């Protein structure tokens, strides 16, 4: 059997195990959801559902919903209650909308309650049926008749309506009722689900039914499209969901953002929007998972807030805008700040002070403002003021759009920041930030070169008082710092360049450049912007910043090496030369940082993600279904464990 056949068989076996695990979890969480107390959040459940859909799109469990407890008689629905297609982000919704182009999009609230079908014969309610397994549910008619919004007989302006068929809605509990009577329950949905299925019916009077769908089983339908459907239900005295008609996909996205902002003030819970076409497509609605409509859900990772001001963080030469906004909860954390990256971001977003904006925090990354919400003139808007002068040296700032910075290389703020960066990258641990700052303020150290001209005599005044100095006492602290500086004269090329504090240029970036055909200091210093931009992982903006930074620091970069102050260690002849490694998961024998340094010392390169051209992915869980393992399998990259890695370098 070929190696690739073995890998393929193993991958299929791993997928099969994961599919079975997902089936059990989804079934368990469905049962708890439909029968009282949900065990996980909607976002967690959706994540499991999406994973199963990716691994096994035709899995039968994806076509089913939960089942009721069995405490009531059963009856079949008039309208199947399957699950909807869903989108959790504007990008996912646009992908669906590209396949479903409508002249207009009818948008309704997606109610976060418990589904119920009211079945009528000749205008009289004969039974109320819960969702159950999507086709058959529990008959809870006596309880339903106690609920607000349920019509025992149908009439339109006093005239009896002889309707036979089903009317579908959602049983909800208002926030006021929940807070007053059922605050011991986790949320309104759980409380409503438990009450509606009580055998004695107690508490059902505290529930409300809001309807949104109807189908007649005899004769013609009493409406011609989705909008008329809601108007007809409203005339019969039912509570109905609000309807918004959007003319474009972007209008739907903007409306969702506005609803996200106001939903905290609604009387009941909603967890998204339902998007439909105007045409009533009954054939599509009969499917287990209708395709012509979609649930555009809200995410725990996004919220709408109001931007109150923009601060400018000064780091080295660069001024970075940071938005300060009304606090919002994202993924369980309270957020009030988000980086705006650069002036172009402010311009492209159309952001102003007072703007209503969508803030996202997806995948546990730092928050960012994704877009500004179109709004009526509800408050004053003011333009964001962009700094013009350096607050330290008074130089006119350069605004390149992608970067706002002080161009004065002699700006004291820039020099100090570079010194601190060098000490950190070169790992001169005994030369602490406080000491560096004191040496800089006194004029003793004004450049990287000055660090290596420090002697014990120059350092002693920072450790001894005047009396000790007059007695020619030796400072152990000065000796320790001096020794630490001397021990860090040998640096890799990546550390050497990263230490000069060029905006956005760290060790990993330099290593990518070296792997892209620029292995020496001379080659990097002489590279053009076009040549650097062509290297994988670079682009025009980063190439421009790097070339500009190299030009500013070229004289000192060359003199430190030429004069023997710093020795650049070349990666030649190492056992890992030409090979690249990415580490994931926990290592046993060492920390991940130590393993990465080991690779570099042996002539190899470290990558932080699985990309084309990677030699090895190192993990102690080679059979896991992690995204990195899957990506490695797709790209044909070797996956090895820690022992195999250590054997390779021993």
């Amino acid at each position: 059997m070929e190696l690739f056949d073995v890998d393929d068989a193993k991958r299929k076996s791993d997928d099969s195990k994961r599919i079975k695990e997902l089936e059990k979890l989804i079934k368990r969480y469905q049962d708890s959801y439909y029968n009282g107390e949900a065990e996980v959040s909607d976002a967690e459940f959706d994540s499991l559902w999406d994973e199963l859909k990716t691994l096994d799109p035709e899995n039968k469990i994806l076509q089913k919903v939960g089942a009721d407890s069995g405490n009531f008689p059963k009856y079949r629905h008039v309208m199947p209650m399957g699950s909807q297609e869903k989108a959790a982000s504007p990008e996912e919704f646009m992908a669906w909308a590209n396949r479903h182009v409508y002249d207009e999009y009818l948008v309704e609230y997606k109610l976060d309650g418990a589904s119920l079908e009211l079945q009528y014969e000749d205008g009289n309610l004969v039974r109320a049926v819960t969702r159950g397994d999507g086709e058959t549910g529990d008959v809870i008619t006596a309880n339903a008749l106690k609920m607000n919004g349920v019509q025992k007989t149908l009439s339109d302006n006093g005239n009896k309506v002889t309707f036979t068929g089903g009317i579908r809605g959602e049983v909800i509990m208002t926030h006021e009722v929940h807070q007053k009577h059922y605050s011991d329950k986790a949320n309104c949905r759980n409380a409503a689900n438990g009450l509606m299925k009580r055998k004695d019916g107690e508490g059902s009077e505290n529930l409300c039914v809001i309807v949104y769908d109807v189908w007649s089983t005899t004769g013609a339908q009493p409406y011609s499209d989705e909008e008329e459907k809601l108007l007809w239900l409203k005339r019969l005295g039912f509570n109905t969901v609000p309807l918004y008609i959007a003319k474009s996909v972007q209008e739907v996205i903007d409306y969702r953002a506005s609803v996200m902002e106001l939903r905290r003030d609604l009387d009941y819970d909603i967890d998204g929007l339902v998007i439909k076409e105007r045409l009533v497509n009954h054939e599509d609605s009969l499917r287990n998972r209708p395709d012509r409509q979609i649930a555009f859900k809200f995410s725990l990772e996004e919220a709408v807030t109001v931007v109150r001001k923009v601060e400018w963080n000064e780091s080295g030469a660069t001024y970075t805008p940071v938005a300060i906004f009304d606090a919002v909860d994202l993924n369980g954390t309270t957020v009030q700040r988000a980086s705006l990256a650069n002036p172009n971001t402010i311009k492209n977003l159309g952001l102003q002070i007072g703007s209503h904006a969508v803030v996202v925090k997806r995948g546990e990354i730092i928050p960012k403002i994704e877009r500004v919400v179109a709004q009526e003139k509800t408050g004053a808007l003011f333009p964001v003021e962009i700094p013009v002068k350096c607050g330290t040296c008074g130089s006119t700032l350069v605004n390149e759009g992608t970067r706002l910075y002080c161009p004065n290389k002699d700006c004291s703020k820039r020099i100090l920041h570079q010194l601190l960066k060098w000490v950190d990258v070169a790992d001169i641990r005994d030369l602490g930030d406080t000491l560096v700052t004191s040496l800089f303020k006194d004029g003793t150290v004004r450049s990287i070169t000055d660090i290596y001209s420090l002697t014990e005599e120059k350092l002693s005044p920072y450790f001894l008082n005047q009396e000790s100095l007059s007695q020619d006492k030796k400072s152990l602290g000065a000796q320790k710092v001096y020794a630490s500086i001397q021990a860090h004269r040998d640096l890799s090329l990546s550390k050497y360049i990263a230490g000069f504090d060029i905006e956005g240029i760290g060790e990993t970036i330099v290593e990518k450049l070296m792997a892209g055909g620029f292995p020496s200091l001379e080659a990097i210093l002489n590279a053009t912007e076009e040549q650097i931009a062509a290297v994988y992982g670079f682009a025009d903006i980063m190439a421009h910043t790097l070339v500009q930074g190299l030009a500013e620091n070229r004289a000192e970069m060359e003199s430190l090496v030429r004069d023997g102050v710093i020795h650049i260690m070349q990666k030649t002849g190492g056992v890992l030369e030409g090979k690249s490694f990415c580490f994931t998961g926990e290592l046993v024998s060492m920390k991940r940082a130590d393993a990465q340094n080991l690779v570099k010392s042996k002539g190899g390169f470290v990558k932080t993600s699985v990309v084309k051209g990677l030699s090895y992915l190192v993990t102690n869980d080679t059979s896991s279904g992690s995204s990195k393992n899957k990506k490695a399998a797709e790209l044909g990259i070797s996956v090895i464990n820690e022992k195999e890695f250590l054997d390779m370098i021993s």
Side-chain angles (χ1 to χ4, degrees):
M1 182 181 285
E2 295 291 335
L3 174 62
F4 289 114
D5 293 335
V6 173
D7 289 344
D8 189 54
K10 187 175 185 306
R11 188 162 58 251
K12 288 181 179 177
S13 175
D14 292 341
D15 286 348
S16 179
K17 290 178 183 177
R18 181 56 177 164
I19 287 170
K20 290 180 180 178
E21 182 182 1
L22 289 168
E23 288 174 343
K24 290 180 181 178
L25 288 172
I26 289 173
K27 178 65 169 62
R28 170 183 163 183
Y29 295 147
Q30 276 184 331
D31 289 345
S32 66
Y33 177 95
Y34 291 115
N35 291 296
E37 295 289 342
E39 296 181 52
V40 297
S41 68
D42 284 1
E44 291 174 285
F45 182 84
D46 289 345
S47 176
L48 296 173
W49 185 282
D50 290 341
E51 185 180 354
L52 180 59
K53 189 175 180 181
T54 299
L55 291 174
D56 187 11
E58 304 302 320
N59 194 290
K60 290 183 179 179
I61 204 167
L62 297 175
Q63 313 303 321
K64 297 179 180 179
V65 294
D68 286 318
S69 60
N71 295 326
F72 294 88
K74 306 291 183 184
Y75 206 86
R76 193 174 184 84
H77 299 141
V78 171
M79 296 174 283
M81 294 188 184
S83 297
Q84 291 176 305
E85 286 294 335
K86 67 181 184 307
S89 69
E91 292 76 21
E92 291 179 11
F93 172 67
M94 285 189 287
W96 175 85
N98 287 337
R99 303 190 306 271
H100 302 80
V101 180
Y102 304 149
D103 291 334
E104 54 188 6
Y105 297 85
L106 275 66
V107 187
E108 303 170 2
Y109 287 174
K110 183 179 182 299
L111 303 167
D112 190 14
S115 294
L116 186 69
E117 184 179 76
L118 304 173
Q119 298 183 357
Y120 290 85
E121 291 181 6
D122 293 327
N124 300 309
L125 179 67
V126 292
R127 66 189 65 85
V129 186
T130 64
R131 184 173 191 173
D133 63 4
E135 296 182 357
T136 301
D138 287 348
V139 178
I140 61 165
T141 313
N143 290 359
L145 284 169
K146 296 180 179 181
M147 299 176 190
N148 177 274
V150 174
Q151 305 298 321
K152 187 174 182 179
T153 59
L154 301 181
S155 64
D156 184 353
N157 290 323
N159 300 315
K160 182 174 176 59
V161 175
T162 57
F163 167 82
T164 297
I167 294 175
R168 183 176 175 181
E170 202 88 352
V171 180
I172 61 101
M173 176 181 286
T174 64
H175 296 150
E176 182 182 2
V177 169
H178 179 257
Q179 186 175 3
K180 186 175 181 179
H181 299 291
Y182 305 100
S183 57
D184 59 314
K185 297 296 182 181
N187 52 54
C188 294
R189 181 186 64 206
N190 284 356
N193 222 327
L195 285 181
M196 66 186 279
K197 295 175 184 176
R198 290 189 58 161
K199 289 291 286 184
D200 60 10
E202 185 178 345
S204 290
E205 65 276 6
N206 291 322
L207 302 177
C208 177
V209 176
I210 301 176
V211 302
Y212 51 84
D213 205 0
V214 57
W215 186 256
S216 173
T217 55
T218 60
Q221 301 305 319
Y223 50 82
S224 60
D225 60 33
E226 290 288 349
E227 183 180 14
E228 283 191 11
K229 178 190 292 184
L230 291 177
L231 292 172
W232 183 78
L233 288 168
K234 197 165 189 175
R235 286 205 311 273
L236 299 188
F238 288 104
N239 303 311
T240 58
V241 290
L243 176 68
Y244 180 84
I245 301 175
K247 299 297 184 183
S248 68
V249 172
Q250 186 58 51
E251 191 178 346
V252 174
I253 294 171
D254 290 341
Y255 176 66
R256 172 177 175 266
S258 66
V259 174
M260 281 167 55
E261 188 173 12
L262 64 83
R263 69 171 170 147
R264 71 190 72 176
D265 298 321
L266 294 177
D267 293 333
Y268 49 84
D269 290 332
I270 61 175
D271 59 359
L273 304 173
V274 177
I275 320 299
K276 305 176 179 179
E277 59 186 320
R278 178 173 285 277
L279 174 71
V280 176
N281 195 321
H282 187 59
E283 183 178 344
D284 182 64
S285 67
L286 293 176
R287 301 171 58 181
N288 286 326
R289 205 167 180 84
D291 176 65
R292 302 288 296 179
Q293 58 180 266
I294 191 169
F296 193 178
K297 300 194 73 174
F298 301 137
S299 169
L300 296 175
E301 300 170 324
E302 59 182 332
V304 177
T305 186
V306 180
V307 176
R308 298 302 179 184
K309 65 178 179 177
V310 171
E311 295 178 349
W312 293 85
N313 282 355
E314 302 176 35
S315 177
T318 304
Y319 285 67
T320 303
V322 177
I324 312 299
F325 43 78
D326 292 343
V328 291
D329 186 69
L330 295 178
N331 243 0
T333 59
T334 300
V335 177
Q336 284 185 282
R337 302 166 61 90
S339 173
L340 292 167
N342 53 51
N344 273 359
T345 301
I346 297 173
K347 179 181 177 182
N348 294 337
L349 286 170
L351 185 76
Q352 299 185 75
I353 307 303
S355 290
H356 291 230
V358 178
V359 184
V360 301
K361 186 187 177 196
R362 296 196 173 101
E364 300 302 324
I365 62 172
I366 59 176
K368 75 167 187 174
I369 289 182
E370 190 169 77
R371 63 187 180 278
V372 169
V373 179
Q375 64 191 81
E376 299 294 330
K377 294 280 185 180
T378 55
L381 296 175
F382 304 96
V384 175
E385 292 187 11
I386 298 177
V388 176
K389 298 287 186 180
C390 174
T392 302
C393 69
S395 297
T396 300
L397 299 179
V398 175
N399 186 353
E400 294 181 342
T402 56
R403 185 181 175 218
L404 179 69
Y405 66 95
C406 173
N408 179 16
K409 191 180 185 311
D410 296 323
C411 176
S412 59
K413 178 189 62 179
R414 286 191 60 182
I415 297 172
L416 178 58
H417 196 273
Q418 184 184 62
L419 293 172
L420 294 171
K421 179 66 176 289
W422 177 270
V423 170
D424 179 57
V425 172
D427 200 25
I428 310 175
R429 298 183 184 180
D430 294 305
L431 185 56
D433 290 0
T434 302
L435 180 55
V436 172
T437 303
S438 296
L439 289 163
F440 172 75
K441 287 182 177 178
D442 292 344
T444 305
V445 173
R446 301 291 296 184
S447 68
I448 293 171
T449 303
D450 288 344
I451 291 174
Y452 293 91
S453 68
L454 290 171
T455 62
E456 289 183 30
E457 289 72 25
K458 288 182 179 179
L459 289 165
S460 290
Y462 296 91
F463 293 91
L464 300 176
N465 57 31
Q466 285 297 321
E467 182 180 351
S468 297
L469 288 170
S470 65
Q471 296 173 4
D472 292 328
K473 287 187 177 180
K474 296 293 183 182
S475 168
L476 293 178
Q479 290 175 358
K480 190 176 182 182
V481 171
Y482 176 75
S484 183
I485 293 171
Q486 300 310 309
H488 291 85
R489 289 179 178 269
D490 294 338
L491 299 175
S492 67
L493 180 57
S494 59
K495 280 183 177 293
Y496 185 69
I497 293 178
F500 277 86
D501 195 27
I502 300 171
E503 176 72 18
I505 306 301
E507 291 179 62
T508 303
I509 293 295
V510 180
E511 287 171 356
K512 287 181 179 180
L513 191 59
M514 294 167 65
F518 300 89
S520 67
L521 176 61
E522 182 182 11
I524 292 176
L525 286 173
N526 292 324
T528 65
E529 287 188 25
E530 292 74 16
Q531 290 172 326
I532 292 176
V535 174
Y536 177 80
F538 281 78
D540 292 343
I541 294 173
M542 185 180 291
H544 172 72
T545 303
L546 176 57
V547 169
Q548 185 182 62
L550 290 170
E552 282 186 342
N553 293 281
R554 181 168 188 148
E556 188 172 22
M557 281 183 167
E558 291 179 329
S559 67
L560 282 170
V561 176
R562 183 183 61 246
D563 298 341
V565 177
I566 297 295
H567 173 248
I568 296 178
M569 299 181 294
Q570 298 295 329
K571 289 185 177 181
T572 56
V575 294
L576 301 183
E577 185 175 3
K579 298 181 175 65
S580 56
F581 296 78
C582 175
F583 294 86
T584 184
E586 188 175 351
L587 299 179
V588 176
S589 63
M590 65 183 78
K591 293 181 179 179
R592 186 185 297 184
D594 294 331
Q596 292 172 335
N597 288 332
L598 193 56
V599 168
K600 297 172 186 178
S601 70
K602 299 293 184 180
F605 293 97
V606 173
K607 296 183 182 293
T608 56
S609 59
V610 177
V611 295
K612 188 176 181 181
L614 179 70
S615 305
Y616 299 97
L617 174 65
V618 183
T619 174
N620 281 325
D621 191 2
T622 56
S623 62
S624 82
S626 71
S627 59
K628 286 186 177 178
N629 281 26
K630 290 178 181 178
K631 188 69 177 292
E634 292 172 7
L635 297 175
I637 293 167
S638 298
V639 181
I640 61 175
N641 59 31
E642 184 176 350
K643 183 179 182 304
E644 291 171 309
F645 166 68
L646 294 174
D647 289 343
M648 188 179 294
I649 62 176
S650 63

